[in-house]
Amino acid sequence: MNQEAQVGTQMDMLEKCLVCKKELLRKIYEATREQEAILDTEPFSEEAFENTLQAKDELIRLLAQYDEGFENTFARIREAVLSDRERYRSRIESMQELIAQLTDQGVRIQALEQKNRLKLEVYLNGRKQEIKAFNVSSRTVSNYYKSMTGAGKGEAYFMDKKR
């Protein structure tokens, strides 16, 4: 196979990789939208949220693999493409359009992620306050019980003897 045919095949692979990345980003966006819906429901389902995190994690791993494959493939044909840009102009422009779409989708995902992060922080801060209030209440009840049963008197006696 001559070099031109090899470069053409590699360019096909690059375009297919970009199309696959576009589909992965669509799925990541949908999972992020699902997270938004979970954050907006009462009561908040931590299990459902965790499931979407795991699904997104797998999609992001696949996306990283596609990125690596794209970079490796492009590195192999870079010189041939750059030395004869006119021959590959339409394919380059097609890929540039796909890359622009991927970038736009990435920006939409980041914006939604930021919005979800703020919602999750509000939820977690509320949970922290609930836990803190529970702990204070529990200590108060425990101290009250000790004082009513006289359990605290023995402790004070030993404290005085140590001096």
Side-chain angles (χ1 to χ4, degrees):
M1 188 184 296
N2 65 15
Q3 182 181 3
E4 186 177 330
Q6 286 178 342
V7 171
T9 302
Q10 301 284 323
M11 295 282 280
D12 289 340
M13 289 173 55
L14 290 175
E15 284 183 89
K16 185 174 181 179
C17 182
L18 291 173
V19 170
C20 290
K21 283 175 62 173
K22 185 176 177 181
E23 178 62 20
L24 282 173
L25 285 174
R26 185 192 64 74
K27 289 178 180 180
I28 291 170
Y29 183 77
E30 289 303 316
T32 306
R33 294 284 305 217
E34 188 176 334
Q35 285 178 327
E36 179 183 38
I38 292 168
L39 286 166
D40 288 339
T41 59
E42 281 294 327
F44 174 72
S45 172
E46 292 177 22
E47 183 180 339
F49 192 80
E50 180 66 27
N51 289 340
T52 59
L53 281 177
Q54 290 173 358
K56 277 178 54 176
D57 187 48
E58 184 60 33
L59 292 170
I60 290 169
R61 268 194 231 124
L62 284 171
L63 190 63
Q65 289 174 355
Y66 277 108
D67 281 340
E68 185 178 335
F70 184 91
E71 292 296 323
N72 291 338
T73 303
F74 185 70
R76 286 193 297 263
I77 63 169
R78 177 185 204 104
E79 290 301 319
V81 171
L82 294 177
S83 66
D84 198 1
R85 285 183 182 210
E86 275 307 309
R87 176 177 290 169
Y88 303 108
R89 176 175 297 287
S90 65
R91 298 192 75 180
I92 291 171
E93 288 172 353
S94 172
M95 283 191 274
Q96 286 174 334
E97 176 61 32
L98 280 169
I99 291 169
Q101 291 172 10
L102 294 174
T103 303
D104 289 344
Q105 186 68 8
V107 169
R108 282 194 296 274
I109 290 169
Q110 285 179 340
L112 190 55
E113 282 284 346
Q114 180 68 17
K115 186 176 163 185
N116 286 350
R117 186 180 66 80
L118 294 173
K119 287 180 182 182
L120 185 60
E121 284 178 0
V122 167
Y123 169 76
L124 292 176
N125 285 335
R127 291 290 292 165
K128 285 179 188 176
Q129 293 301 321
E130 288 175 21
I131 291 168
K132 185 177 179 181
F134 175 78
N135 287 337
V136 168
S137 176
S138 178
R139 275 193 305 258
T140 303
V141 169
S142 178
N143 290 338
Y144 175 77
Y145 178 73
K146 284 179 185 176
S147 69
M148 293 319 261
T149 60
K153 291 180 185 173
E155 293 172 6
Y157 172 76
F158 289 114
M159 292 281 286
D160 290 340
K161 286 290 187 184
K162 289 181 182 178
R163 287 187 192 175

